[in-house]
């Protein structure tokens, strides 16, 4: 590890010379680039990673932390631009064979709310899936669980079989800060999971991965990036022009409930927002109330009720 740190320091020094001599930046600009890079280095130190083993998934999570600590969209764009510059340099100078920042997206400027999909658009997304492929039912179940339960993508990839309460129609979710919450799951999502489990039961699963709900073809649990790529591909196939991500389905879940007349505090609890996820709030909104909110106001359940 000490060797890695020394090598990492050498890379940063080389990058500093590159900015000054080859790019011709002023001392103030070079200092600004290095300050932004330092934010990534501190983040990687906490994650016990180095600049050499960083992948797109790590950079996306780093970008998410910038938002969580209150850094504005314009500043986020500047920092991420500097990160891209650094990894392009690493590739050009032979420190890495690849550029993990190539597909790293900036936050959308001037847009405070993410895109929302209607229930019809979610149906279009699911209808675009080729169910003849081995991952077809898995991908449909993923989209349905995200939309029906409002999970974060990190919560979805870490969802365990032991967290599913099929008979009670609840999912136990481990959210930010290892906080747990129970979220009702719709009959449609349970049906899609059942279809996926038929395929899953035929798989050879890696040791230690047996309890994860969603697996890749090698029998290991999925990553956030895999989910992101899949949803973007399906959106393109479905002809959906909106720029969407897994978070779009979470936001669509909340919007569908709100437009259906659900109580705002109940929605916040279901989403696991820290701002109201306190013990006091949980004592005022019990699980039977939360379940009733989804049964009465989420379009997936209203369709089942009216069938």
């Amino acid at each position: 590890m000490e060797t890695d740190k020394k090598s990492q320091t050498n890379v940063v020094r080389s990058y500093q010379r590159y900015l000054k001599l080859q790019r011709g930046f002023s001392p103030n600009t070079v200092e600004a680039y290095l300050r932004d890079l330092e934010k990534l280095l501190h983040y990687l130190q906490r994650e016990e990673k180095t600049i050499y083993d960083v992948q797109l998934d790590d950079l996306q999570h780093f970008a998410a932390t910038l938002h969580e600590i209150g850094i504005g969209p314009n500043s986020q764009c500047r920092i991420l631009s500097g990160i891209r510059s650094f990894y392009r340099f690493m590739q050009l100078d032979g420190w890495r064979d690849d550029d993990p920042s190539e597909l790293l997206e900036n936050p959308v400027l001037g847009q405070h709310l993410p895109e929302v999909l209607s229930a019809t658009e979610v149906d279009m997304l699911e209808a675009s899936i080729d169910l003849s492929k081995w991952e077809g039912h898995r991908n449909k179940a993923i989209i349905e669980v995200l939309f029906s339960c409002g999970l974060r993508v990190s919560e979805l990839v870490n969802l365990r079989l032991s967290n599913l309460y099929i008979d009670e129609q609840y999912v136990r979710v481990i959210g930010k800060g290892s906080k747990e919450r129970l979220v009702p799951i719709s009959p449609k999502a349970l049906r899609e999971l059942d279809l996926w489990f038929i395929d899953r039961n035929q798989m050879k699963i890696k040791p230690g991965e047996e309890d994860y709900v969603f697996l890749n073809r090698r029998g290991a649990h999925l990553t956030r990036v895999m989910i992101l790529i899949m949803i973007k591909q399906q959106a393109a196939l479905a002809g959906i022009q909106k720029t969407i991500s897994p978070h779009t389905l979470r936001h669509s879940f909340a919007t569908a409930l709100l437009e259906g007349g659900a109580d705002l505090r109940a929605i916040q609890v279901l989403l696991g927002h820290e701002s109201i996820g306190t013990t006091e709030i949980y004592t005022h909104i019990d699980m039977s109330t939360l379940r009733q909110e989804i049964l009465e106001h989420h379009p997936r359940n209203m369709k089942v009720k009216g069938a």
Side-chain angles (χ1 to χ4, degrees), residues 54 65 74 78 99 118 122 174 176 182 190 262:
V54 161
T65 64
N74 287 310
R78 188 201 70 236
D99 177 7
S118 65
V122 175
I174 313 299
K176 289 183 178 180
L182 290 176
L190 290 174

Side-chain angles (χ1 to χ4, degrees), residues 62-76 79:
F62 168 70
T65 64
L66 297 178
H67 172 74
E68 290 168 2
I69 63 177
I71 294 178
N74 287 310
S75 296
Q76 290 178 46
I79 293 169

Side-chain angles (χ1 to χ4, degrees), residues 69-256:
I69 63 177
I71 294 178
N74 287 310
S75 296
Q76 290 178 46
C77 287
R78 188 201 70 236
I79 293 169
L80 297 181
S81 176
I83 299 305
R84 289 191 201 89
S85 169
F86 175 70
Y87 275 104
R88 280 196 298 271
F89 160 77
M90 284 192 73
Q91 186 181 29
L92 289 170
D93 219 41
W95 297 97
R96 283 186 62 135
D97 294 328
D98 64 334
D99 177 7
S101 70
E102 192 173 3
L103 299 177
L104 184 63
E105 296 180 350
N106 278 336
V108 179
L109 297 177
Q111 183 174 329
H112 301 289
L113 293 176
E115 295 276 17
V116 178
L117 296 179
S118 65
T120 300
E121 287 174 316
V122 175
D123 289 338
M124 291 168 56
L125 201 61
E126 294 178 357
S128 72
I129 296 171
D130 184 351
L131 296 180
S132 68
K133 295 183 177 179
W134 83 267
E135 72 272 20
H137 286 295
R138 182 202 68 183
N139 291 349
K140 193 171 182 182
I142 286 171
I143 291 172
E144 192 56 44
V145 170
L146 286 171
F147 179 56
S148 294
C149 300
L151 303 188
R152 298 178 177 95
V153 66
S154 58
E155 295 167 347
L156 181 100
V157 298
N158 289 305
L159 189 63
R160 311 293 183 103
L161 295 174
S162 53
N163 292 337
L164 300 179
Y165 298 90
I166 303 297
D167 293 339
E168 295 83 3
Q169 298 187 359
Y170 284 106
V171 177
R172 185 164 62 96
V173 181
I174 313 299
K176 289 183 178 180
S178 298
K179 292 182 179 178
E180 297 185 10
R181 67 185 189 278
L182 290 176
V183 179
I185 184 168
S186 72
K188 187 176 189 312
L190 290 174
R191 287 197 299 272
E192 299 302 340
L193 282 172
D194 283 341
L195 292 171
W196 156 237
F197 289 154
I198 293 172
D199 296 330
R200 186 185 184 281
N201 290 338
Q202 308 302 315
M203 296 179 63
K204 183 178 180 181
I205 301 174
K206 285 188 175 181
E209 305 283 288
E210 296 89 351
D211 198 31
Y212 286 98
V213 172
F214 296 110
L215 305 170
N216 61 28
R217 63 175 65 245
R218 294 178 297 278
H221 69 280
L222 299 174
T223 66
R224 294 189 297 270
V225 173
M226 291 176 185
I227 305 292
L228 173 66
I229 292 171
M230 181 272 288
I231 287 178
K232 285 185 176 295
Q233 288 175 341
Q234 293 307 144
L237 289 171
I240 295 173
Q241 301 298 315
K242 299 175 180 177
T243 302
I244 70 169
S245 68
H247 182 75
T248 307
L249 291 164
R250 174 172 160 86
H251 189 65
S252 301
F253 161 85
T255 302

Side-chain angles (χ1 to χ4, degrees), residues 256-307:
L257 286 174
L258 190 61
E259 290 179 348
D263 182 80
L264 182 59
R265 291 194 305 154
I267 296 171
Q268 290 176 311
V269 172
L270 289 165
L271 291 173
H273 284 165
E274 291 184 6
S275 58
I276 68 153
T278 60
T279 304
E280 180 181 0
I281 293 296
Y282 277 102
T283 59
H284 289 301
I285 306 176
D286 61 22
M287 286 309 302
S288 61
T289 303
L290 293 180
R291 177 164 179 73
Q292 199 59 34
E293 291 291 342
I294 283 189
L295 288 176
E296 289 185 1
H297 303 296
H298 195 282
R300 284 301 190 232
N301 296 298
M302 288 191 284
K303 280 185 179 181
V304 171
K305 234 170 54 169

